[in-house]
Amino acid sequence: MSGLDFAGTVAVVTGASSGIGLATARLLAGRGALVANLDLAPADGDGIALVKCDVADDGSVRAAVAEVVARFGRLDVLVNNAGIGAQGDVTANDDEEWHRVFDVNVVGIVRVTRAALPHLRAAPAAAVVNTCSIAATAGLPRRALYSATKGAVLSLTLAMAADHVRDGIRVNCVNPGTVDTPWVARLLGQAADPQAELAALRARQPMGRLVAAEEVAGAIAYLASPLSGATTGTVLAVDGGMHGLRVR
Ligand SMILES: NC(=O)c1ccc[n+]([C@@H]2O[C@H](COP(=O)([O-])OP(=O)(O)OC[C@H]3O[C@@H](n4cnc5c(N)ncnc54)[C@H](O)[C@@H]3O)[C@@H](O)[C@H]2O)c1
């Protein structure tokens, strides 16, 4: 296997019925991987194997990973992408909601990786890519709970990379800025003035536009591929320059 060639490999992408996960599953499948989409919801006729799974339920995750390996015989790439949002400052959500969002965004990654590990250890060039967020490294207003989960995803990525470097498993994450996905469309739909909100989100990113889901998929595919064979424990920003640039 060389370059962005995934022929002969098996990839699991969580949350691949929509947005970034769907774009990633399509890209990996287009480059030859057998791709399983572990999601609560089906995608619209995309030809990628749906294995119904709730990353917040350990039994569901174990069964789903076992089904993938039974069907496809191996597991080389894991993309931990499923995630949910939360809005507001620290007063906005009760304890139950804090636990629920952490359970999906952070413990969900733990569950899927834990179930996948024996199979990843057996793969010749295994890679895990976590979908983190700019919210892990920049303070965004009204995103206390969501940002805390993504900060945890970033730290978890580094810890997992250290734990599994000797297993030959690389672990990295991508930090998208605001991406044009159904998630962001839902948020815009709730805004008092959706056009003004969209303009503000575009203006926040130095490139002056939202990131495309396919651009995040490209970064994930790179980190999952042998092109990044010497890269582990890193964060790749895909944010139109939002994290690092101060333009005027
Ligand atoms: N859209 C953005 O601007 C943006 C920016 C930074 C990071 N992210 C991250 O990217 C990831 C994907 O976001 P998106 O915008 O593509 O979202 P999306 O809502 O379009 O898709 C998320 C998918 O995850 C699935 N999912 C949710 N909970 C699940 C669960 N418990 N088990 C299994 N699947 C579940 C949903 O069914 C859906 O198909 C998330 O982790 C999100 O935090 C998104």
Side-chain angles (χ1 to χ4, degrees):
M1 187 163 81
S2 67
L4 268 189
D5 176 7
F6 289 92
T9 70
V10 174
V12 160
V13 184
T14 68
S17 291
S18 176
I20 293 167
L22 178 57
T24 302
R26 284 182 172 149
L27 178 55
L28 296 179
R31 300 288 176 147
L34 289 170
V35 183
N37 164 24
L38 271 53
D39 202 304
L40 295 167
D44 293 335
D46 57 27
I48 289 157
L50 172 67
V51 180
K52 282 248 185 153
C53 176
D54 179 358
V55 300
D57 176 336
D58 195 50
S60 165
V61 167
R62 287 186 180 281
V65 171
E67 184 180 333
V68 171
V69 175
R71 271 168 79 175
F72 298 137
R74 57 190 284 163
L75 181 48
D76 303 88
V77 169
L78 169 60
V79 181
N80 285 307
N81 168 78
I84 57 176
Q87 296 186 60
D89 64 16
V90 286
T91 67
N93 295 286
D94 61 16
D95 285 11
E96 198 180 331
E97 185 65 0
W98 275 79
H99 289 301
R100 188 180 78 87
V101 180
F102 264 87
D103 203 24
V104 174
N105 290 6
V106 183
V107 192
I109 292 180
V110 174
R111 290 187 187 96
V112 182
T113 309
R114 195 163 58 197
L117 259 181
H119 312 292
L120 293 172
R121 282 197 182 103
V128 176
V129 186
N130 298 325
T131 306
C132 190
S133 171
I134 177 100
T137 57
L140 305 179
R142 301 188 58 251
R143 292 289 182 275
L145 167 51
Y146 178 72
S147 301
T149 69
K150 292 300 184 176
V153 170
L154 198 156
S155 302
L156 179 61
T157 300
L158 301 181
M160 288 184 353
D163 281 338
H164 303 298
V165 66
R166 301 263 184 259
D167 293 329
I169 304 169
R170 297 182 302 107
V171 185
N172 294 284
C173 70
V174 291
N175 277 11
T178 305
V179 187
D180 188 4
T181 70
W183 170 321
V184 170
R186 287 193 297 272
L187 278 178
L188 288 174
Q190 293 160 15
D193 182 346
Q195 279 311 316
E197 182 65 16
L198 177 59
L201 290 175
R202 284 178 175 149
R204 195 167 70 166
Q205 306 195 144
M207 287 183 180
R209 64 171 177 86
L210 300 190
V211 174
E214 290 72 19
E215 292 171 319
V216 184
I220 292 172
Y222 165 69
L223 290 172
S225 82
L227 284 178
S228 64
T231 299
T232 192
T234 66
V235 180
L236 180 50
V238 193
D239 61 3
M242 185 176 168
H243 177 64
L245 306 187
R246 298 292 178 274
V247 294
R248 46 171 294 174

